[in-house]
Amino acid sequence: MVFRKSNSKAFFLVFLLWSVVVNSYAREIYWPEGLEFNSKNIQFIHRGNSNVTIRFSRQTEIGGNPLVVNENISLFFTDQGQLVIGPNEAIHINGIVQAQRKRIFINANTSDDLPEIKFGRLRDFYPEWWGVVPNVKPQSPWNNYENVRQMMLDLRNSNGGHLHFAEGIYFIRDLIIDFSNLTVSGAGNKTILKYDDRLNSLVTTTRQGQIVAVRGPSREGKLMGNWHWAIDEQIENVTIKDISIIYEHRNKKAFDPLLNGLVVMNAKDIKIENVKINLSGGNRGIYIGAWLSNEQTENIIIRRCEIRECLTGIFITHGAKTYGKTRKNRVLSDVLVQECRIYVQRSKVDRSPSGYSSGVYIHGSVNDNEITSNAGKIQIVNNEIQNADIGVRLEFPVTVIIRDNLISAFKFCGISGLFKDCTILGNYFDTHSLQNAGLFNYNNAAINLRANALDGDDRRSNALDVTGNIFHNISSERGGPISHTIFVMPTTSNLITIVDNSFKYEGAANSRSIPLSDIKCWVDGGKRPLSQSTLIHSGNKIHEGQKSLRLSITGRNAAKFSVKSKE
């Protein structure tokens, strides 16, 4: 039926009165109350005008599936104006939408059969249009979840755009971007996307462990998005900037072990800029990864972000072995972490390295024949990392550049883990509170790296370049643990270059609190020959009162290790 609650004669009477208020020169039309918004009524009222603005002042039901609004028709919503869209109905808006930050789209259906809203020319959107409003706490996380999901599905149908959050606190659970070409922005510190776990009676805080996610569809993870994924698709060109993400832990349950503030997976050309994250002691601030089969995560930029109160600031993973599951064709490449400030919580554990806190954690499966994968370069540049157990943790040996960072107040190590092609250049290390990690592989040091190539592994030709760094006050409390400033465990075919560094211990209270060695190489190698492994050191500056560089080469294959010095 074309007209609801009226017949044709009644409509013409209404139209006659209504036409009085129509300004034909301005081409503005006030849509009559009670008249269904459908193609026939639009065509009758439009009457061939080239450009028309239709004003809505009341709730108006749509008709037609889909209802197509041409690009020469603009929709204007007053304070009370809204469109009510029924189950499985669709509206394609090809013109301009003008509305304040208020709800203008109403879903008349309470089931999972969400309507479809698709935009053509319009590129700027506001979450309030879908009922996602700031400073209003929902009774449960599910209240806002369906509104958020409807919004993201509609933006996906519209090939992205720019979603503008206003000042205020938005109570968000699972803001999932699983499509390309979207920018999400706010008003900096004044825009907060917040999850309050008092709203949730479940053990986990979110469906898949993130408050915000940029995640391409994956058949293996089909239930992780806004719709049931049936394809593997890498999404691209997504920017998140000028917002804050906060997790507020207030219930009596333990923290969600899966919790991440922001996740990026199976995506390309992604920018995370000026985002502040505080998880109140949660797990990871930002998670970058390629975990499931066919996930390819490439060209990720994290710049000028601030991360606080979590166990790991930025977690970068290339997956791990899952028993009985073969995962192939995974890519993690070109990740840049730049100009970020990371203040993590120190862990309460003393023995398990899995529980250590880290500023940046590069993770992956070290020796897993089930995984077919490719890993590219990771850069950590000009960041400030404070208060971590381990400042930068390298547990997957990829090409990594760690340059011009301040790494301070670390508990066990400034940089620790495996190296393959690793450059550590121009960093500033400062701590006076080294503590015993309790594990040999986590020997206390500003830099503690090992080329731990295993039988059958191809990571035998490794290079480590430590150049132009400043090691300031690397020490422990009086009578503290045995430590070294730089501790390296080479294997075969390693080239280790340690040049032009500065070792300053003037802040140490006594000789027992400073490290035993400036540089220590522990050379074992097992059955592997070490004749091709070489240490080159030169131009290193030592602190006052020290006659020479304190270099220690120990281990059962120390005699086979080549040392070239220009000190």
Side-chain angles (χ1 to χ4, degrees):
M1 181 180 292
V2 176
F3 309 120
R4 293 184 179 176
K5 302 181 181 179
S6 62
N7 54 33
S8 298
K9 184 182 291 185
F11 170 75
F12 283 108
L13 292 175
V14 171
F15 181 76
L16 181 64
L17 296 174
W18 168 60
S19 63
V20 176
V21 298
V22 175
N23 186 331
S24 60
Y25 294 99
R27 295 188 175 91
E28 284 194 348
I29 298 174
Y30 291 80
W31 195 263
E33 183 177 358
L35 183 66
E36 184 180 81
F37 189 58
N38 60 39
S39 297
K40 290 185 178 180
N41 288 342
I42 293 172
Q43 183 178 7
F44 182 81
I45 293 172
H46 185 204
R47 306 183 74 178
N49 287 328
S50 57
N51 294 292
V52 171
T53 297
I54 298 177
R55 300 174 66 97
F56 297 94
S57 59
R58 297 287 187 273
Q59 280 195 359
T60 301
E61 295 182 359
I62 76 163
N65 196 15
L67 168 62
V68 178
V69 181
N70 293 333
E71 62 180 7
N72 61 344
I73 298 176
S74 298
L75 305 183
F76 184 93
F77 294 84
T78 64
D79 289 343
Q80 303 298 320
Q82 294 175 323
L83 288 180
V84 180
I85 309 169
N88 292 316
E89 288 187 325
I91 178 171
H92 296 175
I93 302 172
N94 295 310
I96 299 300
V97 174
Q98 302 176 65
Q100 297 179 352
R101 289 182 175 273
K102 67 178 195 66
R103 188 164 192 174
I104 61 175
F105 301 119
I106 302 293
N107 178 11
N109 185 34
T110 58
S111 70
D112 290 335
D113 299 323
L114 296 178
E116 176 187 295
I117 304 171
K118 183 177 181 180
F119 301 91
R121 294 170 53 191
L122 195 65
R123 295 290 87 195
D124 292 287
F125 307 96
Y126 305 93
E128 289 83 357
W129 289 359
W130 287 266
V132 182
V133 298
N135 305 319
V136 177
K137 183 178 293 188
Q139 295 179 351
S140 78
W142 300 106
N143 298 140
N144 245 1
Y145 166 69
E146 287 300 333
N147 293 340
V148 171
R149 179 168 172 254
Q150 176 74 66
M151 174 177 69
M152 301 314 288
L153 287 171
D154 293 340
L155 295 181
R156 174 178 176 267
N157 293 333
S158 307
N159 297 316
H162 193 155
L163 181 63
H164 301 266
F165 283 87
E167 296 181 7
I169 301 175
Y170 292 82
F171 290 88
I172 294 290
R173 181 180 189 267
D174 293 313
L175 178 65
I176 302 174
I177 303 168
D178 52 5
F179 53 93
S180 299
N181 305 317
L182 182 70
T183 296
V184 176
S185 69
N189 293 339
K190 297 180 180 179
T191 299
I192 298 173
L193 308 185
K194 184 177 183 180
Y195 183 78
D196 187 338
D197 64 10
R198 290 181 300 177
L199 301 175
N200 193 359
S201 60
L202 303 176
V203 174
T204 56
T205 55
T206 61
R207 289 186 302 141
Q208 296 299 329
Q210 73 276 312
I211 299 174
V212 179
V214 180
R215 188 162 189 176
S218 165
R219 285 175 292 180
E220 188 177 346
K222 60 183 178 181
L223 301 179
M224 297 180 180
N226 297 305
W227 50 288
H228 287 193
W229 295 335
I231 58 174
D232 294 319
E233 179 183 346
Q234 183 190 52
I235 64 173
E236 59 185 26
N237 190 27
V238 175
T239 297
I240 300 178
K241 62 180 182 178
D242 303 330
I243 61 172
S244 296
I245 299 172
I246 292 179
Y247 166 56
E248 189 165 0
H249 178 65
R250 293 193 178 186
N251 67 26
K252 296 181 180 180
K253 297 181 180 179
F255 285 106
D256 178 7
L258 302 177
L259 177 63
N260 304 285
L262 192 154
V263 169
V264 179
M265 299 180 72
N266 200 20
K268 180 181 180 181
D269 298 333
I270 309 300
K271 294 181 180 180
I272 311 297
E273 297 183 333
N274 193 29
V275 174
K276 295 190 175 181
I277 299 175
N278 190 318
L279 297 188
S280 299
N283 196 1
R284 310 179 188 103
I286 297 178
Y287 178 114
I288 309 295
W291 190 274
L292 304 179
S293 293
N294 301 313
E295 286 192 329
Q296 302 187 14
T297 302
E298 305 171 276
N299 194 18
I300 312 300
I301 296 176
I302 306 169
R303 182 180 287 129
R304 295 188 299 277
C305 294
E306 183 175 299
I307 304 171
R308 293 180 177 270
E309 302 298 322
C310 52
L311 190 63
T312 298
I314 299 175
F315 184 75
I316 304 171
T317 181
H318 201 269
K321 183 175 181 178
T322 302
Y323 293 97
K325 186 69 175 181
T326 300
R327 291 189 168 113
K328 297 183 178 181
N329 192 30
R330 301 189 301 187
V331 173
L332 176 68
S333 181
D334 296 323
V335 179
L336 171 63
V337 180
Q338 186 176 35
E339 299 176 17
C340 294
R341 302 176 70 184
I342 303 173
Y343 307 90
V344 298
Q345 285 190 342
R346 286 188 174 179
S347 67
K348 297 180 181 180
V349 301
D350 294 322
R351 291 183 299 274
S352 173
S354 63
Y356 290 163
S357 68
S358 305
V360 179
Y361 186 175
I362 300 175
H363 170 269
S365 179
V366 176
N367 188 32
D368 185 359
N369 294 325
E370 291 185 2
I371 295 177
T372 302
S373 58
N374 179 37
K377 182 171 61 177
I378 297 173
Q379 298 185 73
I380 304 168
V381 180
N382 198 21
N383 303 282
E384 184 176 332
I385 302 172
Q386 292 189 13
N387 204 48
D389 293 339
I390 301 172
V392 178
R393 186 172 173 185
L394 311 175
E395 292 301 323
F396 188 70
V398 298
T399 298
V400 59
I401 298 173
I402 305 172
R403 177 169 57 86
D404 298 331
N405 301 280
L406 169 62
I407 305 175
S408 63
F410 48 89
K411 182 179 178 181
F412 300 143
C413 300
I415 299 174
S416 179
L418 303 172
F419 71 88
K420 176 183 179 182
D421 181 5
C422 181
T423 300
I424 301 174
L425 174 65
N427 302 280
Y428 190 98
F429 298 84
D430 189 344
T431 190
H432 55 79
S433 57
L434 283 176
Q435 298 182 28
N436 195 338
L439 290 173
F440 182 79
N441 284 342
Y442 288 85
N443 198 11
N444 310 97
I447 296 176
N448 176 359
L449 292 173
R450 60 201 184 280
N452 193 15
L454 304 175
D455 288 338
D457 200 349
D458 62 357
R459 290 186 289 271
R460 301 180 189 177
S461 298
N462 303 310
L464 172 63
D465 185 355
V466 181
T467 299
N469 301 278
I470 297 176
F471 301 94
H472 184 253
N473 289 343
I474 307 300
S475 58
S476 62
E477 297 179 0
R478 183 176 301 183
I482 297 174
S483 59
H484 309 277
T485 301
I486 299 176
F487 181 86
V488 180
M489 296 173 59
T491 57
T492 189
S493 302
N494 297 164
L495 175 60
I496 301 168
T497 304
I498 303 177
V499 300
D500 298 332
N501 300 284
S502 178
F503 300 87
K504 300 180 179 181
Y505 305 111
E506 66 268 20
N510 57 67
S511 60
R512 293 183 61 194
S513 62
I514 68 173
L516 295 179
S517 304
D518 301 317
I519 302 172
K520 180 179 176 63
C521 293
W522 192 82
V523 185
D524 183 15
K527 298 178 181 180
R528 294 186 181 278
L530 293 173
S531 57
Q532 298 180 22
S533 292
T534 302
L535 167 66
I536 299 174
H537 65 94
S538 66
N540 296 292
K541 298 178 182 179
I542 57 178
H543 76 294
E544 295 182 4
Q546 186 174 314
K547 295 181 179 180
S548 61
L549 184 75
R550 297 177 304 156
L551 173 64
S552 174
I553 309 295
T554 61
R556 58 183 173 179
N557 286 300
K560 301 178 182 179
F561 188 56
S562 175
V563 178
K564 299 179 181 180
S565 174
K566 297 180 182 180
E567 299 292 350

